[in-house]
Amino acid sequence: MESQGKKMLESAQALIRKTAERMKLDSVMIERLIEPEFAHEFALVITMDDGKKRVFKGWRIQHNSALGPYKGGIRFHRDTVREEVQALGTLMSIKCAVAGIPYGGGKGGIVVDPKTLSKAELERLSRAFIGRIAHIIGEDVDVPAPDVNTTPEIMSWMIDEYQKIIGRKSLATITGKPVAMGGSLGRTAATGRGGLFVLMSLMAKLKKKAKGTTVAVQGFGNVGYYFAKLATEVGFKVVAISDSKTGVYDKNGIDLDRALKNKKEKGTVAYTKAISNEELLELDVDVLVPAALENMINEKNMAKIKAPVIVEMANGPLTQEAYEYLAKKGKIIVPDVLANSGGVTVSYLEWVQNKAGYYWTEKEVNDKLKVMMDRAFEAMWEKSNPSAGGEKKMPLKQAAFEVALERITSAMV
Ligand code: GLU
């Protein structure tokens, strides 16, 4: 796991370096773009239900704040390592810049499998995490949010703990909160919805229609579920989905309600033909949407990927080798930093609402998200396929990184 985290960090840094060199940025600027501004590492101690104490390892890594406060989620995962948190924090700086929101990037993590904790233990751990980072976060300093295995409920414990520590309200310090505690309508579905807006923009450029286009979605968490649901609503045919254990294939289109019900009642999404996660990735579909964890498409399975379009809804679902291999084969790869930026974009809208004390309807939030995602897509697309003659075409990922670095460096003195 440590080596995977290291690999992920190396590839995020290599992408920044390559882009920066192409943009002819000087070596000092490149170093500033690569090194995190702060890296906080700590031990968390909580009392377990059996009365014994246990220590957990945690981080908050604040990568770059040129465009605004650090922004990024907190993940609870048993395989999380420092390098992974740093890589994800670095990608948040790029993501917020591509999305056109006034934030820098950061990420937090705790090494824990939350499924092994009771609810009370999970709450104590979440509060203990805030105890460690309360002095380094704040609505204009660093604004955490959910990530893998963290939920609105966990955010509600965190914001409550934070406000107790500072002795006043500051709802805008954490986003992804439940609506009753200042969360935004539309936040839960936002990452999936944003990804769908991006896919629709791409389809329009390729002059293709949703109807009849087959999609396979890996991941049945918040991101995968809403992506599949909303994609089905606009006419895509989602033929496969999977959770961490197993997948299901239905050539007539997945019945998501049935998959959900089956998972609840029988512990598996496979209400009809079961397929493995590996098989799902290798399906002959028009669009492949990895929406689970990082490094799912790698040197072992890259040669078997058939889909001509890949939308990176997870963070870093393709390793660097797999990305280069598939890009060379002519696959269209919509990069994570744009594809999944709907979540942080609605986090931004939540932050704006908290600061203003004025709340929008769900439709208003979704409409604003669409405007922002479309604008972000256009900036990347224009960089990738310049309308002005003489300028070179480049892959979407490269284009997204270049747009981001232009914006970040123009705010750095
Ligand atoms: N964890 C999400 C991401 O990776 C959301 C971050 C946020 O809302 O700040 O983009």
Side-chain angles (χ1 to χ4, degrees):
M1 292 311 138
E2 208 172 316
S3 66
Q4 275 200 7
K6 251 190 209 142
K7 257 190 161 172
M8 199 181 176
L9 180 58
E10 276 165 18
S11 61
Q13 293 181 335
L15 269 167
I16 292 181
R17 196 180 296 279
K18 240 165 89 186
T19 311
E21 280 165 2
R22 226 180 15 246
M23 291 165 67
K24 304 205 167 26
L25 299 177
D26 66 54
S27 58
V28 175
M29 184 54 101
I30 296 179
E31 216 177 313
R32 290 173 69 191
L33 290 169
I34 284 188
E35 290 302 320
E37 292 174 3
F38 295 97
H40 308 272
E41 174 166 318
F42 35 79
L44 299 160
V45 188
I46 63 160
T47 306
M48 305 300 281
D49 290 347
D50 63 5
K52 292 197 184 110
K53 289 206 187 322
R54 213 174 122 187
V55 182
F56 296 85
K57 184 109 207 145
W59 297 271
R60 182 73 185 169
I61 298 192
Q62 300 169 322
H63 173 256
N64 185 289
S65 60
L67 291 173
Y70 307 105
K71 185 84 190 82
I74 298 167
R75 63 171 51 189
F76 287 0
H77 200 276
R78 61 156 210 229
D79 297 330
T80 291
V81 291
R82 180 198 187 281
E83 286 82 1
E84 179 193 89
V85 178
Q86 187 180 333
L88 292 163
T90 306
L91 291 174
M92 282 309 299
S93 299
I94 303 290
K95 190 186 298 187
C96 293
V98 176
I101 52 180
Y103 291 136
K107 201 81 165 196
I110 303 182
V111 186
V112 61
D113 178 357
K115 287 192 197 100
T116 63
L117 300 188
S118 71
K119 194 164 173 190
E121 289 167 342
L122 194 61
E123 176 170 352
R124 287 198 288 278
L125 185 65
S126 306
R127 288 181 184 274
F129 187 79
I130 291 300
R132 283 285 186 257
I133 65 168
H135 62 294
I136 54 144
I137 61 171
E139 57 184 57
D140 296 315
V141 185
D142 182 351
V143 182
D147 195 73
V148 171
N149 289 334
T150 48
T151 58
E153 185 174 42
I154 291 177
M155 297 305 115
S156 76
W157 297 326
M158 289 186 170
I159 192 67
D160 182 61
E161 188 68 18
Y162 179 69
Q163 295 182 140
K164 274 187 187 143
I165 292 171
I166 65 165
R168 62 184 163 79
K169 290 283 175 201
S170 176
L171 284 175
T173 297
I174 289 178
T175 61
K177 302 178 295 290
V179 172
M181 288 191 74
S184 178
L185 293 168
R187 174 64 182 87
T188 312
T191 313
R193 189 181 298 278
L196 182 63
F197 289 149
V198 169
L199 176 58
M200 281 159 63
S201 297
L202 178 70
M203 300 285 289
K205 296 285 180 198
L206 302 176
K207 301 198 169 36
K208 289 202 169 125
K209 293 234 150 43
K211 203 166 160 40
T213 298
T214 54
V215 183
V217 181
Q218 185 199 34
F220 203 50
N222 191 30
V223 180
Y225 173 76
Y226 281 105
F227 185 94
K229 184 171 150 61
L230 298 167
T232 306
E233 277 172 24
V234 299
F236 286 96
K237 195 189 233 186
V238 179
V239 292
I241 53 125
S242 65
D243 64 11
S244 58
K245 281 181 251 148
T246 175
V248 53
Y249 178 84
D250 188 340
K251 68 173 184 347
N252 300 316
I254 296 293
D255 183 335
L256 283 166
D257 293 336
R258 264 180 87 187
L260 204 59
K261 195 163 166 256
N262 219 73
K263 186 176 156 96
K264 258 191 207 133
E265 287 169 5
K266 300 187 187 139
T268 165
V269 292
Y271 65 87
T272 176
K273 187 177 186 282
I275 53 167
S276 68
N277 256 297
E278 293 77 53
E279 285 170 321
L280 181 138
L281 294 173
E282 294 161 15
L283 284 174
D284 192 4
V285 287
D286 299 314
V287 182
L288 176 63
V289 183
L293 283 175
E294 48 278 345
N295 303 329
M296 289 291 157
I297 301 175
N298 48 50
E299 53 277 30
K300 284 193 203 115
N301 60 0
M302 61 192 188
K304 296 185 201 141
I305 304 296
K306 299 184 190 71
V309 174
I310 302 170
V311 184
E312 292 190 317
M313 288 304 288
N315 285 316
L318 274 67
T319 63
Q320 187 63 14
E321 292 99 309
Y323 169 74
E324 274 163 21
Y325 173 86
L326 292 167
K328 217 172 267 162
K329 273 180 97 175
K331 310 269 185 209
I332 298 178
I333 302 166
V334 187
D336 49 4
V337 288
L338 175 76
N340 72 25
S341 68
V344 73
T345 298
V346 176
S347 272
Y348 164 64
L349 297 175
E350 178 176 339
W351 181 83
V352 170
Q353 291 172 84
N354 291 153
K355 275 182 165 268
Y358 177 76
Y359 290 83
W360 293 311
T361 63
E362 187 162 356
K363 183 171 183 312
E364 285 172 314
V365 172
N366 291 344
D367 289 350
K368 286 183 191 352
L369 174 64
K370 172 142 178 39
V371 170
M372 294 175 80
M373 295 303 298
D374 288 356
R375 199 190 293 150
F377 179 88
E378 279 307 323
M380 176 188 71
W381 188 264
E382 172 58 30
K383 180 66 85 191
S384 170
N385 301 275
S387 44
E391 285 190 49
K392 274 223 275 241
K393 281 194 174 208
M394 60 174 92
L396 295 176
K397 187 169 222 149
Q398 197 173 315
F401 270 65
E402 213 166 301
V403 169
L405 290 195
E406 275 171 7
R407 289 176 179 168
I408 295 170
T409 52
S410 63
M412 282 167 84
V413 282

